[in-house]
Amino acid sequence: MNARRPLVVVGDALLDEDVEGVATRLAPDAPAPVVDVTGDHRRPGGAALAAALATRGGREVVLVTALGDDPASDAVRRSLEGRVRLVELPLRGTLPVKTRVLASGRPLVRIDRGGGAPGRPDDAVRETLAAAQAVLVADYGRRTAGAVREQLAAIAPRVPLVWDPHPRGGAPVPGVRIVTPNAAETRSLEPGAGGESLRAYAERGSGLAERWRAAAVAVTLGERGVLLTRPGPDAGTPMLVPAPYRASGDPCGAGDCFAAATAAALADGALPEEAVQRGVAEAAAFVAAGGAGNPALWRTPPSAGRHAAPVTDPFAVAERVRARGGTVVATGGCFDLLHAGHVGLLESARRIGDCLIVCVNSDASVSRLKGPGRPLNPIADRTRVLAGLGSVDAVAVFDGDTPAELLTRLRPDVWVKGGDYSAEDLPEAEVLRAWGGQAVVLPYLDGRSTTQLAHRAARAAATSARHPTG
């Protein structure tokens, strides 16, 4: 893995600042809130944020950007030290600083200061781009991408290139692998098609791909996911990649995370469809963890090893919910063949609290409980199906006959089972009492069970064998 060439990010670096506080009164001289400041946080923004995010998983990342001699430029250099290698263009002027003022976590106003023009690139820029495994252009409309356009055009035919555009920036160079505009940028860049439907965005994306001579355009649509489109009238059906779960949190930086993860996936040899799926998954996890304002993002050094798509950690999910005073709900079972009874139970359980974690018996556990021939589906398939349900926030696997040990570590507030027996008869009830948790029983759909489904399938197979069709 050390022989891998670096991922190169090209674009406009910024300095982002969050001034946090609380607002409980209005100013006496104007109907404006008064913010009592409780904290002030600075971090790299723009292309610098994208580069920092791309380092997760231990990947080598080089940032080609314009920096000057001003305090904001120095702050970005310090924040990236040890994470990202810098190849600098000279900056005539000062680095832009974007300051958000937040009251109780909600933005009130943004203040923009500074700005300058990048100088000409030198041989180091050309050599860096020529040695890239993949390139991400994070264009924030401040002309860095334009300054190195000639060098980007030269490598586009042979190096996977992802371009995150800006309405004030230039068009992507021909041959780009994926362009990643958001919904508003797409409407601004391709205003001809009207409406907010998926069909309208598919037409816009296909039109942009044709105009830019790009292999694909991935339109990011927020909670709806990402729409991957191809150029031209014969582009075929676009692919919609929905978010794996509804992520509530600060979306600041989500677009940078998506573009960085997509470019990293292409560097790993993924197809565009696979790269977009990884980008969507990482962006959702990024927002759920607090976005660019998450302090842990800047405290935690990049981990060594292969870059991989994130896995939703059930313990991290439970901890986040508890930290904001929410209710953690858990349920469990074999879930060998997912049926309507399971779905109804899980949907009802999720409505009880603020997250639902499903504890699933391992293959060995199912075999001990259900006998030879079970499970019908291996644990990897069972967990994937469960994780794909909108009602499920995370899945945890246990190997014992009961989930008691797992529950002791997970410590849910509520344990849910479906059936017609008393909650006090559940062996998990006593376990939950240790930390003040509660076990409850929910109604179960009659006539639905994995065993019944298996017997029905066996009878159907036997009947089909006796009466084969021509």
Side-chain angles (χ1 to χ4, degrees), residues 181-367:
N182 62 30
E185 291 164 348
T186 304
R187 293 194 303 270
S188 173
L189 293 164
E190 186 76 359
E196 300 288 323
S197 68
L198 290 177
R199 179 177 179 177
Y201 281 113
E203 292 175 357
R204 293 185 183 110
S206 181
L208 288 171
E210 187 172 22
R211 187 207 305 175
W212 289 331
R213 288 186 283 168
V217 167
V219 183
T220 59
L221 299 173
E223 292 182 348
R224 285 199 280 179
V226 173
L227 192 66
L228 183 65
T229 63
R230 301 288 183 174
D234 301 324
T237 304
M239 184 179 77
L240 179 65
V241 182
Y245 51 87
R246 186 178 295 273
S248 59
D250 187 351
C252 181
D256 295 300
C257 183
F258 169 74
T262 300
L266 291 180
D268 287 340
L271 296 172
E273 292 82 1
E274 296 170 323
V276 169
Q277 290 180 66
R278 184 192 294 186
V280 169
E282 293 212 14
F286 171 79
V287 172
N294 177 15
L297 183 67
W298 308 107
R299 287 197 303 264
T300 307
S303 59
R306 183 174 177 82
H307 188 86
V311 175
T312 303
D313 186 329
F315 300 99
V317 170
E319 188 58 36
R320 283 199 302 269
V321 171
R322 271 194 292 266
R324 61 175 186 260
T327 299
V328 178
V329 181
T331 189
C334 300
F335 299 98
D336 199 359
L337 286 178
L338 199 67
H339 53 72
H342 291 140
V343 174
L345 172 70
L346 295 173
E347 289 175 343
S348 298
R350 180 60 177 82
R351 288 193 291 269
I352 293 174
D354 300 286
C355 73
L356 174 62
I357 298 171
V358 181
C359 304
V360 186
N361 297 71
S362 69
D363 290 346
S365 176
V366 174
S367 183

Side-chain angles (χ1 to χ4, degrees), residues 144 222 377:
T144 300
N377 286 312

